[in-house]
Amino acid sequence: MVYLNGDFIAKDKASISVMDRGFLFGDGVYEVIPAYNGKIFRPTEHLDRLQKSLDSIQITNPYSHNKWINILNKLVNHSSNTNQSLYLQITRGTDTKRKHNFDALTPTIYVESNPLTSKTKQELSKGFSAISAQDIRWSRCDIKATSLLANVLYAQDAKKHNVEEVILYRDNQITEGATSNVFILKNNILYTHPTGANILSGITRDLVLESASACSIQIQESSFSLDNIFTSDELWISSSTREIMPITKLDNKPINQGKVGAIWGCVFEYYQRLKND
């Protein structure tokens, strides 16, 4: 069961026009919202970010906050899965012909729910690998846009190299992962790239910072280099589906001698408590 333009319908019955600008241009935005134990996690924060993305590309939000919550809850309740990942997409809508500029259109709204299986602490404690690459994306990464060709190619590189993620850099400064935010820990200080146009400031990113503060870790939102990663005590990535994942090898070089650091465990445990609040 999915939601499409006002109707809850079977997924295999859902369809859009070939003239939809999301199909033709990737002209739209999206959100991914987890739900734990049948409860949507931090819905206000996600919907606020959705509003910012819509404003950035000049699409009027078709629904009120309460209507969004109602739609999301109906999908959550329809599924038998305890934990779910809600994917929400809004495109500019269907036009009469293919042209780059746009008129006022009726947005296309699509929402689906998929099972969400979070890795256990034991699974995460084994550590994961990543590779690095130059950040070739456009300069408005703060918009959660559906035009994700660069990210798709990075994900394919990760698959080819059998690693979890591609960590990106511009002018030798780490921005974020292809599908995650990036953190390093050094001397009990947690560093992550500051918010701005070069990164998508994840809701999970904010929760990582909140969890780190609860573990008495000093936070510093400032850029750091690829070289800084290799001399760091710990390297993590975060996203709504990965939560907080320790990376113990980058470009085949070990981080912290290839071991998961102790601070990650504290931050992970606090994050789990936030999920259950």
Side-chain angles (χ1 to χ4, degrees):
M1 187 69 69
V2 300
Y3 179 89
L4 179 64
N5 294 334
D7 296 315
F8 291 91
I9 56 177
K11 189 172 184 178
D12 61 357
K13 302 297 183 184
S15 63
I16 62 168
S17 167
V18 294
M19 295 307 297
D20 189 282
R21 291 180 61 92
F23 171 71
L24 292 174
F25 299 113
D27 186 1
V29 299
Y30 73 103
E31 270 294 326
V32 179
I33 310 175
Y36 300 109
N37 298 316
K39 182 181 177 182
I40 302 169
F41 187 51
R42 300 293 174 107
T44 297
E45 290 86 342
H46 282 281
L47 291 175
D48 284 348
R49 184 172 64 176
L50 173 68
Q51 184 65 60
K52 290 178 182 177
S53 293
L54 289 169
D55 291 343
S56 295
I57 67 169
Q58 302 173 51
I59 294 179
T60 300
N61 195 330
Y63 297 146
S64 67
H65 177 89
N66 288 341
K67 184 163 184 178
W68 279 121
I69 295 298
N70 182 259
I71 292 167
L72 296 173
N73 277 327
K74 282 186 177 180
L75 279 177
V76 167
N77 293 333
H78 178 81
S79 175
S80 60
N81 297 295
T82 302
N83 297 335
Q84 301 169 47
S85 176
L86 297 162
Y87 177 81
L88 185 164
Q89 176 174 299
I90 304 174
T91 75
R92 196 173 303 280
T94 299
D95 214 334
T96 55
K97 63 180 181 179
R98 185 185 183 279
K99 64 180 189 295
H100 284 76
N101 59 37
F102 54 85
D103 304 306
L105 302 171
T106 300
T108 298
I109 305 112
Y110 175 72
V111 192
E112 69 172 29
S113 175
N114 292 291
L116 175 59
T117 303
S118 302
K119 288 184 173 10
T120 65
K121 187 176 183 180
Q122 182 178 9
E123 290 172 322
L124 289 168
S125 295
K126 297 176 182 178
F128 294 82
S129 298
I131 56 176
S132 65
Q134 184 176 354
D135 192 342
I136 61 171
R137 302 169 304 164
W138 73 322
S139 59
R140 286 303 308 274
C141 296
D142 55 316
I143 302 172
K144 202 168 176 68
T146 58
S147 46
L148 292 169
L149 183 56
N151 305 70
V152 167
L153 295 176
Y154 288 134
Q156 189 63 20
D157 277 345
K159 179 180 179 181
K160 181 172 68 175
H161 288 89
N162 195 31
V163 298
E164 177 66 30
E165 178 63 302
V166 180
I167 292 178
L168 307 176
Y169 57 85
R170 294 188 184 190
D171 300 323
N172 200 39
Q173 298 299 300
I174 300 300
T175 50
E176 57 185 344
T179 55
S180 66
N181 291 121
V182 179
F183 308 80
I184 61 169
L185 185 78
K186 183 68 175 180
N187 298 329
N188 215 45
I189 302 173
L190 188 65
Y191 298 86
T192 192
H193 195 288
T195 57
N198 284 334
I199 71 165
L200 178 67
S201 181
I203 306 304
T204 307
R205 173 187 180 276
D206 295 339
L207 295 172
V208 171
L209 299 181
E210 180 180 341
S211 300
S213 293
C215 292
S216 301
I217 305 302
Q218 184 179 338
I219 308 298
Q220 190 162 324
E221 296 187 55
S222 61
S223 59
F224 52 89
S225 70
L226 191 60
D227 289 340
N228 292 146
I229 288 182
F230 293 115
T231 59
S232 67
D233 300 324
E234 301 187 33
L235 169 62
W236 314 333
I237 60 173
S238 73
S239 68
S240 61
T241 53
R242 290 187 183 94
E243 299 182 356
I244 312 167
M245 179 176 285
I247 301 296
T248 52
K249 185 183 289 186
L250 178 64
D251 296 333
N252 287 319
K253 299 176 183 178
I255 309 297
N256 188 36
Q257 299 178 326
K259 300 175 182 178
V260 174
I263 299 301
W264 170 82
C266 177
V267 175
F268 173 85
E269 292 293 348
Y270 190 85
Y271 183 86
Q272 301 310 304
R273 291 199 290 273
L274 291 176
K275 285 164 54 179
N276 296 317
D277 284 350

